[in-house]
Amino acid sequence: MTTKREQNWKYVIITMLFLGWSLGNFDRFIVNFAILDISKEFHLNGSLTGIVLSSFFAGYALMQIPGGWLADRFGYRKVIITAVFLWSIFTILTGAAWSFASIIIIRFLFGIGEGGYFPSASKGITNWFPHNERSRAMSIMLTSATIMGVVAPIVGTQLMQLLGWRQIFYIVGVIGLLLSVAFFFLVKEKQQPKQMKIEDPKVKAPLKDVLKTPMIWKLFIAYFSIYAVNWGLNSWMPTYLANVKGLNLTEVGVYSAIPPFVGIFAMLCSGYILDRLPEGKDKLIAAVFALMAGVFLLLMAISPNLILFIIFQSAVTVFLSFNII
């Protein structure tokens, strides 16, 4: 039987997962603004800038399957603590980058370090939350990304102008090291009752059998499409607003913060709504909203002014929130 203390501890778990994902997302967002100064300092053209931004995602993608396997093998707690510690080290090293090659390697290793966090955090939510609360719990954790999408453009750009881009990464890295210590003391795994273990034994399948499952490939295509749009916009929008629209860093930060601000409410509402939909209806909603996101992406491409451009991007953020959870 679940004790009152265990029922309450799940809120500690989701709070820690929220804080960890907030920090990881802050770094991912702030580099999109720091890249403006990084490109100038290292004399990077558009193609080389793209390689810098993409190097993180290469490492991150490479670590997704091993990250999930490690969480199953050693427990989500150990993987999360290791992930936060490693990405904090590479955050500090990002600030110490001395060349184009060095920042590529550092950001790639940073992606590997962070890659194990999300699958492990998902397992943690499954471990602590009943089925009818998991979408809500996931939406709370994922809301950290949209919150950091607001904080990083506004606060981060101001600190960057005050302290310089390198100092931002030093500060965030130190905060991450402290957070990894907090995870060590506050995050634990919920032990399932022995009766439940007997009634619901885990069935382990070889990786090759998992890769033959049609649902796995459907999810792969779906998430590839979602994140190609989501992180494509997040990564390149600051550069686009600065170089094409001619905005200064403060203006770039303000305009970039608007879609994520809208996304905070969209993410919370989507988790609440999806938990209450009849089984199967969530797929229909996701499909329709994905099509709507595509329509507004096209409208972004042909928008006649900056205001409409930001409105259309905000709409894309709202519709995609129902597909991410």
Side-chain angles (χ1 to χ4, degrees):
M1 182 180 294
T2 303
T3 65
K4 184 67 174 178
R5 185 173 183 273
E6 286 180 331
Q7 290 177 341
N8 292 333
W9 200 261
K10 68 184 181 182
Y11 300 112
V12 175
I13 300 299
I14 195 62
T15 299
M16 293 304 298
L17 295 179
F18 175 87
L19 292 175
W21 205 226
S22 294
L23 191 69
N25 277 286
F26 182 87
D27 179 88
R28 282 199 271 177
F29 279 113
I30 201 63
V31 75
N32 300 328
F33 299 91
I35 197 66
L36 298 172
D37 288 334
I38 292 171
S39 297
K40 292 177 183 177
E41 183 171 329
F42 295 145
H43 307 290
L44 307 181
N45 57 30
S47 297
L48 296 180
T49 298
I51 293 175
V52 172
L53 294 173
S54 300
S55 57
F56 163 84
F57 295 103
Y60 186 83
L62 187 64
M63 191 59 186
Q64 289 300 288
I65 293 177
W69 178 84
L70 289 170
D72 287 336
R73 178 69 175 82
F74 299 103
Y76 81 91
R77 176 181 177 272
K78 292 179 181 178
V79 178
I80 283 180
I81 294 171
T82 302
V84 176
F85 178 80
L86 287 177
W87 93 48
S88 299
I89 293 296
F90 289 114
T91 298
I92 294 172
L93 290 175
T94 299
W98 59 92
S99 66
F100 170 70
S102 69
I103 200 168
I104 290 294
I105 295 171
I106 291 167
R107 296 303 295 177
F108 176 78
L109 294 175
F110 180 100
I112 290 179
E114 190 174 311
Y117 187 94
F118 186 81
S120 301
S122 300
K123 184 175 178 65
I125 289 173
T126 301
N127 181 233
W128 279 94
F129 287 84
H131 183 76
N132 64 339
E133 295 180 11
R134 288 173 190 170
S135 290
R136 224 174 316 166
M138 183 65 75
S139 70
I140 290 172
M141 187 183 77
L142 292 178
T143 301
S144 63
T146 52
I147 292 175
M148 288 303 104
V150 176
V151 173
I154 296 177
V155 177
T157 53
Q158 295 303 311
L159 289 175
M160 201 177 303
Q161 293 181 87
L162 181 65
L163 303 174
W165 70 270
R166 293 182 183 274
Q167 282 69 26
I168 295 296
F169 290 102
Y170 295 149
I171 294 170
V172 175
V174 171
I175 293 173
L177 292 177
L178 295 175
L179 187 61
S180 67
V181 175
F183 267 100
F184 181 83
F185 289 104
L186 295 176
V187 173
K188 62 180 183 178
E189 301 208 26
K190 181 180 179 182
Q191 298 299 320
Q192 300 295 338
K194 293 182 179 179
Q195 183 179 358
M196 184 178 295
K197 291 181 179 179
I198 295 172
E199 294 176 354
D200 186 25
K202 293 182 179 179
V203 179
K204 296 184 179 180
L207 179 59
K208 64 179 181 179
D209 291 342
V210 174
L211 294 177
K212 292 178 182 178
T213 306
M215 181 56 70
I216 294 296
W217 288 103
K218 291 176 183 177
L219 290 172
F220 175 86
I221 294 171
Y223 273 92
F224 176 87
S225 303
I226 291 168
Y227 285 114
V229 173
N230 194 22
W231 283 106
L233 290 176
N234 290 329
S235 298
W236 281 104
M237 206 49 59
T239 301
Y240 173 79
L241 293 176
N243 296 343
V244 177
K245 297 298 184 180
L247 304 184
N248 60 42
L249 190 58
T250 299
E251 292 171 331
V252 168
V254 171
Y255 280 106
S256 297
I258 295 174
F261 181 77
V262 175
I264 294 173
F265 302 99
M267 191 66 70
L268 291 173
C269 290
S270 63
Y272 181 84
I273 292 170
L274 290 173
D275 270 339
R276 282 160 174 74
L277 287 176
E279 188 174 353
K281 292 293 184 181
D282 53 342
K283 297 178 183 178
L284 177 62
I285 293 294
V288 172
F289 281 17
L291 288 173
M292 293 299 296
V295 170
F296 279 92
L297 279 170
L298 291 174
L299 291 174
M300 284 178 65
I302 61 174
S303 59
N305 57 63
L306 183 59
I307 300 300
L308 282 176
F309 182 88
I310 297 299
I311 291 173
F312 295 150
Q313 186 182 350
S314 299
V316 171
T317 302
V318 171
F319 290 125
L320 285 183
S321 68
F322 284 82
N323 283 268
I324 292 175
I325 295 177

